[in-house]
Amino acid sequence: MPTYTLNVNGNALSVEADSDTPVLWVLRDHANLVGTKFGCGIGQCGACTIHLDGAATRSCLLTVDQVKDARITTIEGLSEHGDHPVQQAWKEVDVPQCGYCQAGQIMTASAFLSENPNPSEEEIRSAMHGNICRCAAYNRIEKAVKLAAGKSK
Amino acid sequence: MASSKTIDRRSFIKLSSLTGGGILIGFNLFTACKSDAKPPEDLANLNFKDFNAFIKIAENGKVTIISPNPEIGQGVKTSMPMIIAEELDVAWDDVFVEQGPLDTENFTRQVAGGSQSIRFGWDSLRETGATARQMLVNAAAAKWGVDPSECSVSEGVVINAAGDQLGYGELVTDAAQLEVPEGVTLKDPDDYKIIGTSRVNVDIDEIITGKPLFGLDYKADGMVYACAVRPPAFGQTLESYDDTEARKVNGVIDVVAYGEGNKVAVIAENTWAAIKGKKALKTTWSDDSELESSELHDQELGKILEGDDFEVRREDGDVEKAFKEADQVVERVYSSPFLPHNCMEPMNFFGHVTDEKVTLVGPIQTPAGTQAGVAELLGRPKEEITIDMTRMGGGFGRRLYGDFALEVAEIADKIRKPVKLVYTREDDMTAGIYRMAIKYKIAAAIKDGKITGYHLKEAAVNSNMYGLIPHFFPAGAIDNYKVETANYKSKITTGAWRAPYTNFLAFAEQSFFDELFEIMGVDPIQTRLDLLEKVKGTTDENIEYSPERLQGVIKLAVEKSGWGKQPEGVYQGFVAYYCHNTHVAEVADVVMENGNPVVKKVTCAVDCGIVINPTGAENQIVGGVIDGIGHAMYGDFSFDKGKPRDSNYATYRLIRMQETPKVEAHFVQNKLSPTGLGEPGLPPAGGAIANAIKKATGMRLTKQPFILQLAERENKVIG
Ligand code: FES
Ligand code: FES
């Protein structure tokens, strides 16, 4: 099995894995970073969203050998003390129900806001459209993204 | 046994001092949450093992409420401790809520009941908090040499008439020596400081930072992973399998057949290897009987409705006569498909079986029943089996069933290694325990401009409406009334799905009324209020809905939604419904965009008695409404030769952000005992949007999912 050295949350992570292993499973099983969630495995739900060089990326479709030296950020590394403006907004709005989809939502929202710090309602709704929340906390997700946009200014 | 007199509920609270300082108060949340739970017969049997929830008061006055209660997203891990903290009278900031530790013998596990936790826990949780408060007051009074009645309490401090103060932390050592008091006084709701104020989900920090919380996150030393192949079609059995290629996959450790030889598990060092191994497995299946398709179910349910083989579930007056003498009869049929639960966290469970014990950990709503099932399956005494619960990534009814826990127990028994069974999304969606397909035929008799008869027939796959559902509105409001049910036995596994039966029945009934009122040319709001007027003062014990409270939410929804005053181009649909002990009315606002109806807003009026945690309550109602809209609109799950046609989100559609309306929840303010909110917001949503869509498009929706029926519109604009 080949060995890969990944840059995860600013640390060098050395893993032995088959080249076709999705980053999702490398993070969860090999690196013990279980904040990134498995929802569908086919890029349709967004639960597994991470940042790859700052861009929101579905880690279930990204294989370990595609990463090379790109920077991976997971929910565990989004901020040091859980105080990224998006995380703060999520807490203030009390977004989660079961909470399972929320890491993915937060990763999508944070990447989106760094690209578009001043989004319209329509832009928020379209940016978050790829992330399913089965508990349907969508109203609050939308509200929290709006609030986070205000906070990041 | 000498005496076995039934003991008072007080005995369910027990106190002891902690070696590290402070006191521990034990009580049984299981008893608190089940209306029919009986205390043990003999006082001598009572020890700390009978308790499953604890309040710890430290010498610094900090309070820890330890609850073994699982959280499926309904918010009880926050709201139940709020009730205790209120009566204990401590500042919420001094309260820390801890999930009961895994793997301890001191916890007896319990069920996470659907929408009932708060309703059944209300009295006991308050009594527990108040009893602890009284003990601390008694300790303070004894110190001061005054009567306890001369003392008052505020935020963890006892105060006497002279103005002396003692904090709870200073009193705990003394309080631990005292008798548990009887007949404590509960607070007047007007004095509440915590109940009725919004408190953020107690797990929020862990959730937003990605800490391990869920079943899929649980790990144990030396743990391996399993993925399983199950019969692709309901009714198939495994003939043979070839694991040569599967075993060649890097990381695959073993391949074992289980489940009466019908399932095969691939065991691997990591999840990906298990998934790959599973794909590489070659299997041959045989059909031992006819494989069912949705078209067959549709036909069979239709045939049932045409026949007369029904069980009568409620009958008032003379329905036959009312229909014979009617000026006009309105009759409609409504159909719904199967639905998978699609919990965001796919089914999974951890198991480890040794000669000494069986350890199971994971997301499950019914650990007690699962323990019994595992004991039987493995032929082991129950005492050797521990089941611990993790936070759950959704339940919606699916995690009431312990099938996945039984599977991992069997696999773990065979391989004798700690193992996590993981369902892929495809496994989760195709090995489901689905909401069954149902058809309703509803008929009303009209005479002299009045509804004189109502007749509802339910034809469902596998099982029918339960409990008091046949006695819900309009029972009691129409003189000649009949509800009958029948079912078609299928090989497809079916079970509870968020708001069982009412999740579709509410749509059928409330769409029917909307159309009926339109045909009669009467006002839908006033007619509902009038029908309810007739139910007032009923002595019928089976009628548990309150006509007054249903009228109350109708009026509140009318007011808050601006019913009848909407701007041009906005079409409103109305529904009022009672289920799960909560009364709800909803108004949906629909507009036409590019020739298609779009739901813009839903206004809800809810009467659930006292609202414990407004932010949590709102989250439940808003989520329930959007869930209800999503499944009514898009939920389309069908079978072809026993096999689900969809298995993942590429083709199976769940509601997403852009299809989501703004939902407003308004709560009736009263002091009545609280009822649950996890389910009651969902059932009315489908009817509310269907009634609005009728106004917007002219089309009466009778089938779910609505998108299929809407696609049949002749002049539909594709946009
Ligand atoms: S798990 Fe990656 S998108 Fe669903
Ligand atoms: S909070 Fe449960 S899936 Fe989003």
Side-chain angles (χ1 to χ4, degrees), chain B residues 361-377:
Chain B
V361 183
I364 177 97
Q365 287 171 263
T366 50
T370 302
Q371 184 192 43
V374 172
E376 200 192 316
L377 178 77

Side-chain angles (χ1 to χ4, degrees), chain B residues 245-282:
Chain B
E245 293 305 313
R247 284 181 184 274
K248 282 185 199 157
V249 172
N250 246 339
V252 168
I253 303 167
D254 203 354
V255 176
V256 291
Y258 69 104
E260 297 171 340
N262 266 327
K263 299 169 186 170
V264 186
V266 176
I267 318 294
E269 284 163 12
N270 56 65
T271 317
W272 182 241
I275 293 173
K276 270 169 71 179
K278 178 187 142 161
K279 281 190 191 136
L281 202 69
K282 295 199 175 63

Side-chain angles (χ1 to χ4, degrees), chain B residues 276-294:
Chain B
K276 270 169 71 179
K278 178 187 142 161
K279 281 190 191 136
L281 202 69
K282 295 199 175 63
T283 46
T284 330
W285 305 92
S286 67
D287 312 342
D288 22 347
S289 54
E290 191 203 353
L291 300 177
E292 305 162 27
S293 295
S294 290

Side-chain angles (χ1 to χ4, degrees), chain B residues 440-453:
Chain B
Y440 288 107
K441 184 193 264 185
I442 311 181
I446 306 166
K447 187 161 175 70
D448 302 328
K450 294 256 170 309
I451 306 167
T452 51

Side-chain angles (χ1 to χ4, degrees), chain B residues 185-237:
Chain B
T185 332
L186 299 177
K187 281 189 180 178
D188 185 309
D190 284 336
D191 298 329
Y192 287 161
K193 287 179 239 163
I194 296 174
I195 291 174
T197 61
S198 287
R199 308 291 165 163
V200 173
N201 184 335
V202 294
D203 279 338
I204 187 79
D205 290 324
E206 286 78 8
I207 292 171
I208 60 175
T209 54
K211 295 281 175 326
L213 282 174
F214 300 93
L216 209 60
D217 304 342
Y218 179 82
K219 287 189 181 184
D221 282 345
M223 186 176 93
V224 295
Y225 296 81
C227 256
V229 176
R230 302 173 183 81
F234 287 85
Q236 281 185 324
T237 48

